[in-house]
């Protein structure tokens, strides 16, 4: 019998996932992670679990992150370091990020912020933007999600580049790799999309130095993690006109506090961590498949490398 | 020698196009349409010309519309009815419309209006939208532009349908034709994009009866012509919640008057006729090619059919 504990930080969500996994994995016992008897669980399905919950389950075979990122698991202070961590990425997650990235790149490309501001003043002002093939966009992070997003932008006609820690080939996308390729990649970006995993190497990567390398008046979209962005540097770059706008889906503190300056900045669009979403319907099916495969094989393509950080 | 008169309604634009065409068509004489001596011109390049300008050029071989639509030419009261009218569609126009349609369909799909309204209230509210494959979108008008837009939406993952006067096949898009297919097409639309030509048949087509057929809470995007939309019906459908939103690029009166209710309606996004644009750079090259080809062959693929109206 497979025993699974669930902690998503919300009682209703937990109940939903528990019911779905119990149906999808016949014979499994699925319960709340906090309620489970110590040392009885095989798997813990979590989002940002508090300290103490994982370490008291000494028999765990793996932790499953409800999401593509595992930073919220790795930062648990008493996380047993030997534990495999399974990432959850399904076709719906990739699709949702493709949509989000296409929408917000197009919005910056077509000056939607300015259009909306003029509408508020009932101001009719015709303007022309270059066609997408004359707009240089760049995607940081070329994992399964980043690669799909970069290729979606290329298919829309954008002059698209991608950057990742290790160089990789991607049809239709000009790719750059590692520290050596970063400057050249940034130099050409008019719209930059961050889809990196959050690691020691990528924390604070969206900072004043990076903004200064981008094309003048560039826009930045962060759908990675809040920890990628140095918030004060973004505000300074926007207020100096170095950047023309930013769309942010992730924040150092979520929910974003009501008094945070991002909410009311005229050049920042805030979205409430909705770029992607592991919905219980398709997400539970992916998680169930991953648990069954890992339980059978002891490994999985979507297993994180704690040393690498993602 | 080819003699060309230009009228775009703006002196600076006229000068720009005159200079470009003179360069692109060696030996041509290019001048303002209003300044030309009567009966001396071979071609008139126009946007919404006033009465009198075309009829006094009795030697015209064709009129060239600076745009894909010819309704603004056909409505000239004293237009010599025998005159061929050449449409102007180039790769940049198609590309600009693909971008516009993708942007605004995605914006409705991902509830951007609500996201922005919540941002104005500093309100963090996570919400989930279906993935694009579970969103049924429809494009009315499947000419060169409409077909490209429908296929762009299909490539983004949307469940995409298209409707045109005559049935036609389009890979990846479910197509409907004529009056007989209209009701079935509309029934399935959650986001409707109008890219029709404006003709006697399509005038006022976006009306209460059509809105009532769409899926409840549907959104409407009009990048066709202002004459397609019954403005009062749209306001009533939005205020009744029958429609969830509209994005409008074209209007019965342009510029849209400052006191028009569309400007400040919370469920309407107004864009100032910028969905596409025949820019002088790439546009003049297309026009020059079309004039040279028509002058040589006496016909052209992009010739309008005044009887059909487009």
């Amino acid at each position: 019998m497979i025993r699974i504990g669930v902690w998503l930080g919300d009682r209703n969500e937990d109940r939903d996932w528990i019911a779905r996994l119990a149906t999808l994995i016949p014979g499994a016992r699925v319960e709340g992670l906090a309620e489970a008897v110590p040392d009885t669980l095989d798997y813990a399905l979590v989002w940002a679990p508090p300290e103490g919950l994982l370490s008291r389950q000494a028999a765990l075979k793996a932790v499953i992150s409800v999401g593509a990122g595992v930073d919220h698991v790795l930062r648990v202070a008493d996380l047993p370091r030997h534990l495999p961590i399974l990432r959850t990425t399904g076709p719906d997650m990739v699709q949702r990020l493709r949509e989000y990235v296409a929408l917000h790149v197009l919005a910056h490309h077509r000056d939607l912020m300015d259009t909306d501001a003029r509408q508020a003043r009932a101001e009719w002002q015709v303007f022309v933007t270059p066609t997408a093939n004359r707009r240089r966009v760049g995607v940081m992070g070329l994992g399964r999600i980043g690669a799909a997003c970069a290729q979606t932008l290329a298919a829309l006609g954008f002059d698209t580049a991608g950057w990742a820690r290790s160089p990789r080939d991607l049809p239709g996308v000009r790719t750059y790799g590692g520290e050596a390729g970063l400057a050249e990649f940034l130099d050409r970006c008019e719209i930059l999309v961050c889809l990196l995993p959050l690691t020691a190497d990528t924390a604070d990567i969206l900072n004043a130095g990076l903004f200064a390398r981008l094309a003048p008046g560039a826009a930045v979209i962060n759908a990675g993690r809040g920890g990628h962005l140095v918030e004060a540097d973004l505000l300074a770059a926007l207020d100096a006109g170095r950047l023309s706008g930013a769309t942010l889906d992730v924040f150092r503190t979520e929910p974003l506090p009501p008094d945070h300056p991002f909410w009311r900045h005229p050049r920042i669009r805030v979205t409430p961590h909705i770029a992607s979403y592991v919905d219980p319907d398709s997400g539970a099916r992916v998680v169930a498949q991953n648990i069954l495969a890992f339980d059978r094989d002891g490994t999985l393509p979507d297993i994180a490398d704690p040393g690498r950080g993602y």
Side-chain angles (χ1 to χ4, degrees), chain A:
Chain A
M1 185 176 68
I2 298 178
R3 294 157 308 172
I4 304 166
V6 174
W7 172 278
L8 303 179
D10 177 285
R11 284 279 158 190
N12 290 326
E13 268 198 277
D14 285 358
R15 267 195 290 271
D16 190 3
W17 280 80
I18 288 169
R20 288 173 189 273
L21 289 177
T23 306
L24 290 161
I25 307 180
R29 195 178 79 198
V30 194
E31 63 197 308
L33 179 60
E35 287 76 52
V37 175
D39 306 334
T40 60
L41 296 178
D42 300 309
Y43 297 96
L45 176 75
V46 299
W47 181 266
E51 224 172 298
L53 286 187
L54 295 171
S55 57
R56 73 196 191 100
Q57 292 293 343
L60 282 178
K61 297 179 189 171
V63 175
I64 300 125
S65 161
V66 186
V70 298
D71 50 293
H72 62 99
V73 181
L74 289 174
R75 72 171 164 246
V76 173
D78 62 339
L79 178 74
R81 292 295 149 182
H82 68 282
L83 265 181
I85 305 173
L86 312 188
R87 308 162 70 228
T88 305
T89 61
D92 281 11
M93 278 196 68
V94 174
Q95 173 60 25
R96 287 197 164 93
L97 268 157
R98 288 178 68 215
E99 297 169 11
Y100 185 92
V101 167
L103 167 57
H104 291 290
V105 167
L106 283 164
H108 286 290
H109 170 58
R110 296 292 293 244
D111 285 345
L112 193 63
M113 278 182 185
D114 287 321
T115 309
D116 287 350
R118 289 194 201 102
Q119 177 173 352
R121 300 190 298 265
E123 185 184 325
W124 181 278
Q125 188 187 314
V126 177
F127 62 95
V128 184
T129 48
T131 45
N133 59 309
R134 281 168 273 168
R135 184 74 79 181
R136 290 163 301 147
V137 304
V139 175
M140 301 184 85
L142 296 175
R144 189 188 304 194
I145 289 169
C149 291
Q151 293 194 296
T152 297
L153 295 173
L156 284 169
F158 287 102
D159 183 352
T160 308
W163 178 84
R165 205 180 60 137
S166 320
R168 58 166 296 183
D169 280 339
L170 208 56
V173 177
R174 187 189 312 237
T175 56
Y176 299 84
E179 271 307 307
L182 184 58
E184 199 185 337
F185 165 79
L186 295 173
D187 283 350
R188 69 184 297 290
C189 283
E190 297 176 286
I191 302 174
L192 177 71
V193 182
C194 175
L195 293 169
L196 290 166
L198 182 62
T199 68
D201 284 343
T202 67
D204 297 334
I205 194 170
L206 301 176
N207 59 36
L210 179 144
F211 300 148
R213 288 220 72 114
L214 301 175
V220 171
I221 298 169
N222 189 17
R225 287 283 183 262
H228 287 128
L229 176 67
V230 180
E231 298 189 343
D233 287 5
L234 176 67
L235 291 169
L238 288 169
D239 294 344
R242 186 69 192 70
L243 296 180
S244 63
T247 299
L248 307 174
D249 188 54
V250 289
F251 304 91
R252 288 182 181 263
T253 306
E254 294 182 8
L256 189 65
D259 59 347
H260 196 288
F262 285 175
W263 282 116
R264 292 196 168 80
H265 196 289
R267 310 304 306 176
I268 295 179
R269 175 168 271 127
V270 169
T271 62
H273 205 144
I274 53 161
S276 190
Y277 179 77
V278 179
D279 67 289
D281 184 25
S282 72
R285 274 179 278 136
V286 173
V287 167
Q289 281 165 17
N290 284 352
I291 288 177
L292 288 168
F294 184 86
D295 207 70
R296 184 185 62 228
D297 305 333
T299 187
L300 201 70
D302 249 347
I303 198 163
D305 176 346
R308 207 175 52 171
Y310 61 94

